[in-house]
Amino acid sequence: MLKDTHIAVGLAASTYMMLPVSDTKTTVLGMCAAVMAATFPDLDLLDEKGHSNLEEIKEAVYKACPMLFLWYGHVASEAVTDLSYESINRMRDALSGYGLTKVLQLLVWFTCVLVTVMSSHRGWSHYLAWAAVVTGCFYMIITDLQITKWFWYSILSHLLIDLLNKKSIKLLWPVPVNFRLCVCDSDGPLSKLIGMAATAIFTILVYRRFV
């Protein structure tokens, strides 16, 4: 599917599942997480563009950087909404060197990104098991279950709508079964129509929640 379609469907799916139980802060950060998750499995496309290894690594790192901003936003917003001494200290510690543990966690995240890049298109990057691993790494850094659920529903939506294409995926690996529905081409008119429908659903959900 097209990148825009994945983002629209990811936002619509995660918003439908999480918006009723999320406060405003969690909703904003959750939507950021959903956008990142919606295109995460297609990092494997870097392998098909004829890029050099260095270019692939640079682009993968660039796409992984939103995690840093998401983590920063989560920590900072907690301090802003809770101006207690403990909360402010937590923000200060997080931003001034939270420690080796946080550095290692971020390295694990970047490793997930690079491993996904190394996958052949619709290889392990599109396994349900790998999506669970990536989501687990996301939670390890964010440590917020609600935001992690936004991420999970969005990355899951990517795998499910890719089943509509002609190219199969081993969704339930290690079960050796290929799944595909052959309903549409990844860049065909139906793919674009799905994206527009998802955008409309997302807009209606947000409107009904905040207006």
Side-chain angles (χ1 to χ4, degrees), residues 18 26 32 53 56-57 59 62 67 72 79 83 89 108 115 131 133 140 143 148 159 163 170 187 196 198 203:
M18 295 304 300
T26 302
C32 293
N53 290 335
E56 289 180 2
I57 292 173
E59 189 166 349
Y62 173 77
M67 171 60 80
Y72 171 85
L83 295 178
N89 275 344
V108 168
V115 169
V133 169
M140 181 177 64
T143 64
T148 303
L159 304 184
L163 293 175
K170 290 185 173 66
D187 58 349
M196 289 188 288
T203 303

Side-chain angles (χ1 to χ4, degrees), residues 4 6 20-21 26 35 46 49 52 60 77 114 123 135 139 141 147 171 187 209:
D4 292 345
H6 277 303
V21 296
T26 302
V35 170
L46 298 180
K49 294 181 179 179
S52 67
S77 62
L114 294 177
T135 304
Y139 175 73
I141 297 172
I147 297 175
L171 182 66
D187 58 349
R209 173 66 170 80

Side-chain angles (χ1 to χ4, degrees), residues 184-199:
C184 63
D185 295 322
S186 60
D187 58 349
L190 182 56
S191 172
K192 297 175 182 177
L193 182 62
I194 292 172
M196 289 188 288
T199 301

Side-chain angles (χ1 to χ4, degrees), residues 127-178:
Y127 294 169
L128 188 61
W130 181 244
V133 169
V134 171
T135 304
C137 292
F138 180 89
Y139 175 73
M140 181 177 64
I141 297 172
I142 299 298
T143 64
D144 187 305
L145 184 59
Q146 294 301 307
I147 297 175
T148 303
K149 286 181 179 179
W150 282 82
F151 185 94
W152 169 248
Y153 288 127
S154 183
I155 198 171
L156 182 61
S157 75
H158 182 116
L159 304 184
L160 293 180
I161 66 170
D162 268 357
L163 293 175
L164 300 176
N165 297 161
K166 296 178 180 179
K167 189 170 182 178
S168 62
I169 59 176
K170 290 185 173 66
L171 182 66
L172 299 180
W173 181 91
V175 177
V177 179
N178 292 320

Side-chain angles (χ1 to χ4, degrees), residues 41 44 119-127 130 167-170:
D44 59 15
S119 169
S120 59
H121 186 42
R122 299 204 177 188
W124 66 68
S125 63
H126 285 64
Y127 294 169
W130 181 244
K167 189 170 182 178
S168 62
I169 59 176
K170 290 185 173 66

Side-chain angles (χ1 to χ4, degrees), residues 74-93:
H74 174 52
V75 174
S77 62
E78 280 192 349
V80 170
T81 54
D82 177 13
L83 295 178
S84 65
Y85 180 78
E86 293 79 7
S87 177
I88 294 174
N89 275 344
R90 181 182 176 190
M91 178 182 176
R92 182 199 62 195
D93 293 340

Side-chain angles (χ1 to χ4, degrees), residues 9-21:
V9 172
L11 277 171
S14 56
T15 300
Y16 175 78
M17 296 299 296
M18 295 304 300
L19 193 58
V21 296

